[in-house]
Amino acid sequence: MATKSASSPPYDYDDRDSMVAMAAPSSPTPKRPIQLLFRSKEAVELFTLADTSLSSAAAATSAAAAASAAPATPSNKGGVTLYKGKTTFHVLNPNGKYVYLHDADVGLIQCDLSVNSNNNNNNNNNNAAVATLFIQDSKSIQLAKCSPRGTFLLTWSKPNSSNVENLRIYNATTGLYLHGFPCKKSTLSTVQWTYDESLVFHLVTNEVHIYNAHTFQRVGKVRCSNIASFSLPSVKGYAANTTTMNTAEAMMNERKYLLTTFVSGSKGKPSRVDLLRYPDRMGVESTTITSTNSSTSSTTASIEKEDGNAVNQKSGPGLASKSLFDAEEVHVNWSPRADSALVLTQTVVDATGESYYGSSHLFLLLENDIKRPGYGIATSVTLPTEATKSVHGSIPILCANWVPNPTIVGPIPFGVISGSMPPLASLHHGITAEPTFLFGRAHRNTMDISPHGRFIVCGGYGNLAGGMDFWDRNKGKLIPRRMMVPLASTNSATSPEATMSYVTIKEASELSITSQNPAVGHQWSPDSRTYLISTTSPRMNVDNGVHIYRYDGGLVDERMLPWNNASYHPDKLLCAEYIPAPFSAEDEEKEFYYYPDRPQSPPPRGCVEVTGDAAKFVLANLASHNNGRTSNTGGSSGGGSAASYVPPGARKSATGAGGGGGAYVPPGARKGGTAGSRIGGGTSLAERMRQEREDVTSKVSGVKLTKRTGPVGASSVTSAAKVSGAGAAASGAGEKSKSALRKEKLNLAKEKTEREAAEAEQRKKDEEKERIEANKADPEKRAKKIKKILKQIDEIKEKVSSGCELNDDQRKKIESEDKLLKELASLGL
């Protein structure tokens, strides 16, 4: 087979089936390579990601070992400079052909990405060759977005006397102005297109107006008093959302589009979310404008004059509705089949005072109810009983995402991360909304599902430490991770003929990954083979850069990447993301398969797996080579900034008391702990609670839930199988008995009582200290207050003489009389 060039698509060539397909004479045209767009404070660049498979990693590591020096810069280093200068924002066209940049000194600029798709080795600094001014006099534009198919571009700028229609629609290819709407708020959500861009919906006061997206003639309206927002699915619903006809005209007339509307509560009335369908189920107050004239000009005149050729047809009631008593805003996430939606409601302030981020609830809206065909339904999502609850019994919801593949068999599942820290990640049935699989409890707040729906990352980003877990949804297991190591790191038991070897990490407890820097951006590649983690400004103004992980969690060596992260230090990178996959021009139904859905790749050719004691020896050598630094990044060992993996056996010897490595651990926390894991052995309440959470986590990680066939009233789900390493280990331990749970509950209650008593005692001491300080600062003010209290005591004594009974506060006040008199005398006034 011929050697693969640097510009070849980033496929894992260690996959035997892929190699055969690529070598076949009748193989299709190679797919567009995976590309990334970087926007920094200095320029906008386009990079092509070369082969990131383990085979490529083995070649790079072998070459570095043979050279016995610093690795040379690979031939694919560098990208294409699309535009030089500082930009305020950028928008990628959904088909991946254009990117729109905004320079406050120039205006809105269009860059054609297809021109540079095969030019990853050229440092093109000529802006005129790739970038052109898209819209004249567009310096004032502040926001922009594309329609679902990339045909239209919507922009917003501040309104003024000469720019009344400040919400404007342009042709996304030519920049031709098409239509405008007035909009005072800085938002683009008031204008939305249907997935096929045949209709455009515009939100106004108490109504949503519906227009033909090409002629901008109104064809209907949704009447909804106090409407705050609405949402349309941006993906094709396949057969579930569209009724196809024989002719194009009939199909246009018969297509039905779902939408949701949100009405905020007012004057004691609750908020409400409605599931509607255009044109037949938009609510009784809504209408659709139909015409008996087939001519476009006649139709326009009839609608304007509302004569006999135009009929305002009343619509039927909505499909489903849900009243929300504690919702100030909603986030709607549509199913990839566009026949259902997840509605996450949130309040800005939590009335119970438990959460800084407010309270949240999750609902599922379905177009078709199984029990009542032709009607929709709104149900609450059943959260797992294993999710940690707050003091008042509520369960916070951090994330809710659909599996994005609409072609999978059966109902589309969705993932949820819920519960107090550490929350629980779970998969749910797309119709019943019941949990079907538990990923486990960890400090995670994001669930990213690959475009094909096979691989899932549970990550902790933003304010969390950046931990990640990579799962295979089809297998229900954490993905084993292979690490390439040079032959020199192995012992003599390894085959002398081999030039490279690898170690496979399978233990669930060792597959959790810690990112090098706090993660701001995160995204799956369009082919589901790599995962991007970025640290960008202004969220993080230090160590800006982009790291790429393979689908199994292995960190791609920076030598294999076409960019240099050091050039963006400390705070130059503003954004980094993958270029979307192009739409298929041949068959719209198959556009989802632009990149094939591929399973986990087999081991790379020409490499020997190191197992048993030899594997421990290899990992220990890598740990000592990196001065004992510990990191579960799973990257290649041939270089890069990542510290290498350290096995549990090596970590136990790295005590913080002056041992070979690891972070320092205070003496009070060394008992029974390890430096590598940073787990102390102290008896503090925080330590015991942490250990208890970790013990519970091991029992819910990788748990598959199935229906129970027991009596009526029993739990609808039960633990059926432990399918991951952690789950298998927990299954042998068994569940706790009722007496053990009761005893554990009593111990926790006792600890809580003791903690509250200690806190009360501390508060009392603090108040006494503050009182003494106040006396020193202003004795006259304190004396005045004491005399007031003494007067109250005299009044209480008069009540006692008259036969009145005293409460506890009155008795305490009388008992404090002597103390107050002494304090008054000590003031010397």
Side-chain angles (χ1 to χ4, degrees):
M1 181 181 295
T3 304
K4 186 175 72 70
S5 65
S7 60
S8 299
Y11 294 146
D12 288 354
Y13 279 79
D14 47 9
D15 190 324
R16 313 296 190 256
D17 296 336
S18 297
M19 294 178 68
V20 173
M22 294 298 294
S26 60
S27 60
T29 304
K31 300 294 185 182
R32 178 199 288 180
I34 300 299
Q35 295 178 305
L36 299 96
L37 184 79
F38 282 33
R39 186 170 66 87
S40 66
K41 294 180 179 179
E42 300 175 350
V44 177
E45 302 164 285
L46 182 67
F47 295 98
T48 299
L49 191 64
D51 185 10
T52 59
S53 65
L54 284 180
S55 294
S56 179
T61 308
S62 178
S68 66
T73 303
S75 59
N76 66 333
K77 221 53 165 171
V80 176
T81 301
L82 300 176
Y83 185 79
K84 274 193 171 182
K86 188 174 182 180
T87 54
T88 56
F89 68 84
H90 77 275
V91 178
L92 278 169
N93 195 291
N95 60 18
K97 187 177 181 180
Y98 299 107
V99 61
Y100 307 94
L101 314 172
H102 185 263
D103 188 328
D105 298 328
V106 179
L108 197 64
I109 301 161
Q110 182 192 60
C111 298
D112 191 346
L113 301 178
S114 62
V115 176
N116 310 290
S117 59
N118 297 318
N119 193 21
N120 64 307
N121 293 327
N122 296 331
N123 290 319
N124 186 356
N125 297 325
N126 185 8
N127 292 341
V130 295
T132 57
L133 183 61
F134 185 59
I135 301 174
Q136 297 292 336
D137 300 329
S138 54
K139 298 179 182 180
S140 61
I141 291 178
Q142 297 184 6
L143 301 173
K145 75 172 183 179
C146 285
S147 58
R149 304 291 297 181
T151 306
F152 305 100
L153 181 70
L154 179 68
T155 66
W156 182 91
S157 56
K158 286 186 178 181
N160 52 53
S161 57
S162 60
N163 185 25
V164 178
E165 295 181 343
N166 57 318
L167 195 62
R168 298 190 170 190
I169 300 175
Y170 297 88
N171 185 299
T173 303
T174 64
L176 178 66
Y177 172 76
L178 300 176
H179 196 70
F181 301 101
C183 182
K184 294 182 179 180
K185 293 183 179 179
S186 176
T187 180
L188 298 173
S189 61
T190 57
V191 174
Q192 298 181 37
W193 283 265
T194 56
Y195 74 90
D196 57 0
E197 299 179 343
S198 62
L199 300 175
V200 58
F201 288 60
H202 177 223
L203 176 65
V204 297
T205 304
N206 297 327
E207 290 182 348
V208 177
H209 292 170
I210 307 171
Y211 298 87
N212 183 302
H214 301 281
T215 63
F216 292 97
Q217 298 300 325
R218 217 170 87 182
V219 296
K221 69 176 181 179
V222 177
R223 177 68 183 176
C224 187
S225 300
N226 298 325
I227 182 173
S229 64
F230 75 102
S231 177
L232 285 169
S234 60
V235 294
K236 183 175 182 180
Y238 288 80
N241 192 50
T242 304
T243 303
T244 58
M245 305 295 289
N246 295 329
T247 64
E249 182 179 357
M251 182 173 62
M252 188 65 194
N253 292 334
E254 293 296 328
R255 280 183 176 174
K256 298 176 181 179
Y257 305 93
L258 294 183
L259 70 149
T260 63
T261 58
F262 171 65
V263 177
S264 56
S266 62
K267 298 180 181 180
K269 294 183 180 180
S271 303
R272 189 180 77 253
V273 172
D274 292 306
L275 179 63
L276 310 177
R277 185 174 63 197
Y278 174 86
D280 59 333
R281 302 293 294 273
M282 300 187 301
V284 293
E285 294 185 88
S286 306
T287 57
T288 301
I289 301 175
T290 60
S291 174
T292 59
N293 196 324
S294 60
S295 172
T296 303
S297 60
S298 299
T299 302
T300 303
S302 64
I303 292 175
E304 291 178 352
K305 296 179 180 179
E306 296 187 358
D307 58 7
N309 290 332
V311 179
N312 288 329
Q313 183 178 351
K314 290 290 184 180
S315 176
L319 293 171
S321 180
K322 186 69 177 180
S323 295
L324 312 169
F325 288 90
D326 51 355
E328 297 178 8
E329 58 183 25
V330 297
H331 301 276
V332 181
N333 193 341
W334 286 95
S335 161
R337 291 179 183 163
D339 59 349
S340 55
L342 289 172
V343 178
L344 178 62
T345 68
Q346 290 183 325
T347 58
V348 178
V349 179
D350 187 0
T352 62
E354 298 176 14
S355 173
Y356 174 79
Y357 300 99
S359 60
S360 56
H361 299 278
L362 185 62
F363 303 94
L364 175 63
L365 305 182
L366 297 172
E367 179 185 12
N368 293 306
D369 186 0
I370 298 177
K371 298 180 180 179
R372 297 192 309 161
Y375 293 87
I377 186 174
T379 59
S380 298
V381 173
T382 304
L383 298 176
T385 56
E386 292 84 355
T388 53
K389 298 181 179 180
S390 62
V391 178
H392 295 273
S394 62
I395 301 180
I397 300 171
L398 306 179
C399 174
N401 288 326
W402 289 93
V403 172
N405 189 344
T407 62
I408 63 177
V409 179
I412 304 293
F414 60 90
V416 178
I417 297 182
S418 60
S420 303
M421 284 292 168
L424 178 68
S426 56
L427 274 181
H428 294 249
H429 193 278
I431 296 179
T432 64
E434 291 190 341
T436 59
F437 185 84
L438 304 182
F439 293 99
R441 190 176 295 129
H443 287 79
R444 307 289 186 261
N445 57 6
T446 304
M447 183 181 294
D448 284 337
I449 307 176
S450 64
H452 295 86
R454 180 183 294 271
F455 305 124
I456 297 177
V457 173
C458 295
Y461 308 131
N463 296 331
L464 299 184
M468 295 178 288
D469 302 304
F470 287 76
W471 291 80
D472 189 321
R473 185 184 64 85
N474 293 9
K475 296 183 178 181
K477 297 180 180 180
L478 286 166
I479 305 175
R481 184 162 60 253
R482 299 186 181 96
M483 296 179 59
M484 304 303 303
V485 293
L487 185 63
S489 300
T490 61
N491 57 13
S492 58
T494 308
S495 173
E497 293 81 7
T499 58
M500 285 297 300
S501 58
Y502 67 91
V503 180
T504 303
I505 304 174
K506 297 181 180 180
E507 294 295 330
S509 59
E510 303 304 321
L511 288 176
S512 182
I513 302 170
T514 301
S515 178
Q516 295 299 301
N517 297 306
V520 178
H522 44 90
Q523 182 188 14
W524 276 103
S525 63
D527 63 349
S528 301
R529 305 305 288 180
T530 56
Y531 185 71
L532 175 150
I533 289 293
S534 63
T535 303
T536 58
S537 180
R539 178 63 176 81
M540 293 296 298
N541 291 323
V542 63
D543 292 337
N544 282 186
V546 177
H547 299 278
I548 301 295
Y549 290 83
R550 299 183 187 91
Y551 64 89
D552 62 352
L555 179 65
V556 177
D557 198 314
E558 288 196 16
R559 296 173 303 168
M560 301 172 59
L561 301 177
W563 61 85
N564 185 8
N565 282 325
S567 62
Y568 301 104
H569 290 174
D571 60 348
K572 296 180 181 179
L573 188 63
L574 299 175
C575 183
E577 59 179 317
Y578 285 105
I579 302 297
F583 296 137
S584 174
E586 300 175 358
D587 189 353
E588 187 178 333
E589 293 288 346
K590 296 182 180 179
E591 68 183 20
F592 189 81
Y593 291 103
Y594 183 85
Y595 295 106
D597 179 15
R598 299 172 51 224
Q600 301 177 30
S601 298
R605 290 181 182 272
C607 298
V608 176
E609 182 177 13
V610 183
T611 58
D613 294 337
K616 296 180 181 179
F617 178 80
V618 170
L619 296 173
N621 281 354
L622 294 177
S624 61
H625 177 71
N626 286 274
N627 299 323
R629 292 178 298 167
T630 60
S631 174
N632 291 341
T633 58
S636 301
S637 63
S641 61
S644 294
Y645 166 82
V646 177
R651 295 177 192 171
K652 292 181 180 179
S653 62
T655 59
Y664 171 78
V665 178
R670 290 177 190 166
K671 181 180 178 181
T674 65
S677 60
R678 299 182 183 180
I679 298 175
T683 57
S684 66
L685 177 62
E687 179 66 16
R688 292 198 302 271
M689 292 177 66
R690 185 198 59 73
Q691 292 177 350
E692 178 186 357
R693 287 197 303 267
E694 291 188 354
D695 181 62
V696 175
T697 301
S698 65
K699 295 183 179 180
V700 298
S701 176
V703 179
K704 185 177 180 181
L705 304 177
T706 58
K707 288 277 187 177
R708 175 181 288 182
T709 57
V712 177
S715 177
S716 59
V717 295
T718 183
S719 300
K722 306 289 190 290
V723 295
S724 70
S731 61
E735 299 292 337
K736 292 184 180 180
S737 63
K738 291 184 178 180
S739 59
L741 292 173
R742 190 183 305 109
K743 185 177 180 180
E744 182 179 358
K745 186 176 181 180
L746 291 175
N747 290 336
L748 291 175
K750 183 179 178 181
E751 292 176 359
K752 182 180 178 181
T753 302
E754 294 175 352
R755 183 174 68 255
E756 291 177 349
E759 292 175 353
E761 183 67 21
Q762 184 63 36
R763 284 197 302 270
K764 186 176 180 180
K765 293 180 179 180
D766 294 340
E767 291 174 358
E768 181 68 17
K769 185 177 179 180
E770 292 176 359
R771 183 183 60 78
I772 295 174
E773 294 295 333
N775 291 346
K776 294 180 180 179
D778 192 352
E780 294 182 357
K781 185 175 181 180
R782 178 60 183 171
K784 184 178 180 181
K785 185 174 182 180
I786 292 175
K787 291 178 180 179
K788 182 178 180 181
I789 298 175
L790 292 174
K791 183 179 180 181
Q792 294 174 352
I793 293 175
D794 293 337
E795 294 175 353
I796 294 174
K797 288 181 178 180
E798 292 178 1
K799 292 182 180 180
V800 173
S801 60
S802 61
C804 295
E805 295 184 0
L806 304 180
N807 55 35
D808 293 339
D809 293 337
Q810 291 172 333
R811 293 192 187 96
K812 290 180 181 179
K813 191 169 287 187
I814 292 177
E815 294 173 357
S816 65
E817 183 179 10
D818 294 339
K819 184 178 180 181
L820 292 174
L821 291 173
K822 291 179 181 180
E823 182 180 353
L824 182 61
S826 66
L827 295 177
L829 297 178

